[in-house]
Amino acid sequence: EEAYAALDSMEVDVLISSFDMRDEDDNRLCYVLKQHPLWNQIFTFVLADREHLPKLSQVMRKGADDVMLKPLDKEIFLTRIDVALR
């Protein structure tokens, strides 16, 4: 709910969410964004633990633009965000 409220109140170009972020209907945040008429252009990253690796292709099919595995390398993390902003 906090994410939806924030998206209503500000312009967002890139969104980074946790693999576990879901709404009340068990939809992941990135899926909801890609269905929304105003938010569907937001580049979405999903952060996930390596244990979720087998499920990540499903997450990307449902709307995530990219996935980053934890633990994150700070330099690579910031570079991938810069690339997404292009």
Side-chain angles (χ1 to χ4, degrees):
E1 292 303 317
E2 288 179 43
Y4 299 134
L7 289 167
D8 275 334
S9 66
M10 66 181 76
E11 186 174 321
V12 176
D13 296 318
V14 174
L15 183 126
I16 302 167
S17 69
S18 169
F19 177 81
D20 297 319
M21 259 183 118
R22 297 182 176 116
D23 67 9
E24 65 276 359
D25 297 318
D26 202 33
N27 290 314
R28 295 199 193 286
L29 179 59
C30 59
Y31 174 77
V32 174
L33 290 178
K34 296 305 177 182
Q35 304 306 310
H36 194 280
L38 299 176
W39 301 338
N40 62 8
Q41 296 299 310
I42 297 172
F43 194 96
T44 57
F45 284 103
V46 173
L47 301 180
D49 293 316
R50 292 196 183 277
E51 68 190 55
H52 298 295
L53 192 57
K55 299 177 185 175
L56 294 180
S57 61
Q58 176 188 9
V59 170
M60 291 191 73
R61 277 190 218 106
K62 287 202 166 203
D65 294 304
D66 201 354
V67 173
M68 291 188 272
L69 296 176
K70 299 179 208 175
L72 300 172
D73 175 280
K74 180 181 176 183
E75 191 63 33
I76 291 174
F77 176 68
L78 295 174
T79 300
R80 287 173 77 177
I81 292 172
D82 286 341
V83 169
L85 288 171
R86 285 191 223 155

